[in-house]
């Protein structure tokens, strides 16, 4: 990065209302609270009028159980601001090394700034080799009665989604298998069905769910057992009858090497906010691919800046399976206009330079 001494970092707090309350490790939350980050390179602003300065945006949206607290995030951003002045981008990244949400914001802003300088969309700046301008995405269907679940799945299919992910694990295994069976009957064989249990089950319950889901042609069962149960997931894979096992919560607990050594997953879910940035997530994705485990990308229900970053990340991963990136409507308010169009089960990647978000700061 050139002219590091002219970079300045600003951040401001935000609070985005959720469309529906969200259950987290720390209880129910009604909003996603975090910090919008802006990097400005005044060296690019030759006439000092502000309109020429190169700008990069980032977002830190902590989530209990997945990242540092909001307070620790703010302190980390404060440290990054100071470190940037004295030591440049690498010192700033080092100052937030252990605060994943703060690091996510800073590294995203640095990547956005650099891609903007190079007049290239972020995914092309990130990626190597063939890249696609569209990322397949899944519809996410929450817990509901069988009738509600069927109606939501039909609506998703009508909107063109070829993949639906159903939340399971809040009712009995028998009730969940019945919900999935009803959906399969309603949507036919052309739709890919996945299920996410968010650590809900014992091994025996997961075994029984797996057998029922296999009969319904479920493609992926995500995190059936608690995050700690690495061997349990490996054992489930032995009898999965064609259903792939995905780990999500388990990634943070164990890391890629332990998961792969144990043979605990066919698929691993990457959340850039929880991993410390799209740069880190991209390295993890490459490592997983090398070990023949499929990476897929989702978010921690973030604002438009982080969501768009995750879309660019997914577009830079070769042959990425359908990702959990159609999450914008889980927020009732947002940081700005969403540049990502969701169209027939794909996220259309913005082709503007950098991230492609423009109106989030408001005063430029
Ligand atoms: Mg999950």
């Amino acid at each position: 990065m050139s002219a590091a001494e002219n970079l300045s970092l600003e951040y401001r707090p935000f609070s985005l209302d959720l469309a529906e309350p969200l259950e987290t490790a720390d209880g129910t939350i009604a909003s996603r609270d975090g910090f919008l980050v802006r990097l400005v390179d005044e060296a690019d602003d030759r006439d000092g009028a502000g309109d020429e300065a190169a700008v990069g945006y980032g977002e830190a949206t902590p989530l209990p159980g997945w990242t540092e607290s909001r307070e620790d995030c703010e302190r980390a951003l404060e440290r990054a601001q100071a470190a940037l002045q004295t030591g440049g981008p690498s010192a700033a990244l080092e100052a937030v090394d252990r605060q994943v949400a703060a690091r996510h914001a800073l590294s995203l802003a640095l990547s956005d700034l650099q891609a903007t300088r190079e007049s290239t969309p972020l995914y092309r700046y990130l990626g190597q080799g063939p890249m696609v301008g569209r990322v397949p995405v899944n519809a996410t269907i929450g817990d509901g009665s069988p009738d509600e679940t069927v109606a939501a799945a039909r609506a998703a299919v009508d909107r063109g989604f070829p993949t639906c992910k159903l939340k399971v694990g809040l009712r009995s295994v028998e009730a969940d298998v019945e919900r999935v069976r009803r959906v399969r009957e309603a949507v036919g064989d052309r739709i890919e069905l996945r299920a996410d249990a968010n650590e809900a089950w014992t091994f025996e319950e997961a075994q029984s769910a797996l057998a029922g889901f296999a009969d319904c042609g479920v493609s992926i069962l995500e995190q059936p057992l608690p995050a700690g149960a690495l061997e349990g997931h490996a054992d489930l894979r032995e009898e999965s009858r064609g259903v792939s096992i995905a780990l999500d919560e388990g990634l943070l607990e164990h890391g890629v090497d332990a998961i792969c050594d144990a043979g605990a997953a066919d698929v691993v879910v990457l959340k850039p906010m929880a991993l410390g940035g799209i740069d880190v997530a991209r390295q993890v994705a490459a490592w997983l691919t090398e070990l023949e485990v499929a990476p897929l990308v989702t978010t921690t229900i973030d604002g438009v800046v982080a969501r768009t970053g995750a879309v660019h990340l997914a577009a830079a991963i070769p042959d990425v399976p359908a990702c959990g990136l159609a999450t914008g409507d889980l927020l009732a308010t947002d940081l700005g206009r969403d540049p990502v169009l969701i169209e027939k089960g794909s996220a259309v990647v913005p082709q503007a330079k950098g991230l492609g978000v423009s109106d989030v700061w408001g005063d430029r």
Side-chain angles (χ1 to χ4, degrees):
M1 182 132 333
S2 64
E5 65 274 17
N6 292 302
L7 275 185
S8 66
L9 184 154
E10 304 161 84
Y11 58 90
R12 51 166 71 155
F14 64 76
S15 180
L16 305 174
D17 293 337
L18 287 159
E20 304 273 344
L22 178 72
E23 305 294 333
T24 76
D26 275 15
T28 306
I29 57 172
S31 64
R32 295 290 288 119
D33 299 343
F35 300 92
L36 182 62
V37 166
R38 180 169 74 161
L39 279 173
V40 180
D41 187 352
E42 303 296 348
D44 290 354
D45 184 20
R46 293 188 185 85
D47 62 3
D51 54 339
E52 299 287 327
V55 173
Y57 293 106
E59 177 186 326
T61 310
L63 185 64
W66 291 90
T67 73
E68 76 274 22
S69 67
R70 189 182 176 286
E71 292 69 30
D72 286 347
C73 181
E74 183 164 21
R75 276 195 288 271
L77 289 171
E78 208 177 294
R79 283 199 306 278
Q81 201 172 38
L84 187 69
Q85 293 309 310
T86 52
S90 54
L93 284 169
E94 212 166 289
V96 295
D97 198 34
R98 288 160 179 274
Q99 287 75 38
V100 287
R103 195 194 176 285
H104 175 278
L106 178 62
S107 69
L108 183 57
L110 286 165
S111 300
D112 181 27
L113 178 65
Q114 193 56 26
T116 300
R117 282 181 177 142
E118 295 179 16
S119 289
T120 189
L122 183 56
Y123 75 106
R124 293 194 168 272
Y125 169 76
L126 292 173
Q128 293 158 342
M131 276 165 290
V132 291
R134 300 171 78 94
V135 174
V137 293
N138 65 266
T140 301
I141 295 170
D143 180 65
S145 69
D147 285 348
E148 288 163 345
T149 308
V150 165
R154 280 209 168 106
V157 172
D158 287 347
R159 287 169 60 205
F161 283 97
T163 307
C164 291
K165 180 168 107 169
L166 279 67
K167 288 285 178 189
V168 295
L170 292 171
R171 37 190 91 211
S172 71
V173 168
E174 294 72 28
D176 274 332
V177 170
E178 173 63 11
R179 286 170 66 225
V180 175
R181 193 186 62 74
R182 289 271 315 275
V183 168
R184 176 57 83 200
E185 275 175 12
V187 301
D189 288 338
R190 285 169 307 150
I191 301 300
E192 181 187 343
L193 294 181
R194 302 175 179 171
D196 186 355
N198 293 107
E199 314 179 274
W201 290 323
T202 64
F203 186 79
E204 288 70 27
E205 287 169 332
Q207 271 181 313
S208 139
L210 205 49
F213 290 168
D215 291 339
C216 304
V218 166
S219 60
I220 299 176
L221 173 57
E222 189 173 316
Q223 201 71 52
L225 306 174
L230 211 50
E231 294 302 327
H233 284 106
D235 291 343
L236 281 179
R237 279 187 74 217
E238 299 288 314
E239 48 188 279
S240 69
R241 294 178 49 206
V243 182
S244 295
I245 299 294
L247 294 189
D248 180 359
E249 288 86 345
L251 174 60
L252 289 193
E253 181 140 347
H254 301 287
V256 170
D257 286 341
I259 289 171
C260 294
D261 285 351
D266 302 286
V267 177
V268 168
V269 178
L270 307 181
K271 290 178 158 73
M273 191 68 70
L275 288 169
I278 60 170
D279 54 343
V280 176
R282 188 165 165 273
Q283 286 168 2
V284 173
W287 186 226
L288 285 166
T289 304
E290 199 156 305
L291 297 169
E292 297 183 344
V293 174
L296 69 82
V297 180
T298 184
T299 72
T300 37
I301 310 184
D302 307 320
V304 70
V305 173
R307 277 201 323 275
T308 306
V311 168
H312 282 282
L313 163 69
I317 297 174
D319 301 321
V320 75
C323 290
L325 293 170
T327 60
D329 53 11
L330 299 178
L331 295 174
T333 55
D334 210 336
L335 296 165
R337 192 185 61 83
D338 193 336
V340 177
L341 180 69
I342 304 292
E343 190 183 72
K344 295 195 186 304
S346 291
V348 182
V349 188
Q351 297 300 312
K353 60 189 179 181
L355 264 172
V357 298
S358 49
D359 60 345
V360 291
W361 201 266
D363 60 355
R364 229 174 235 276

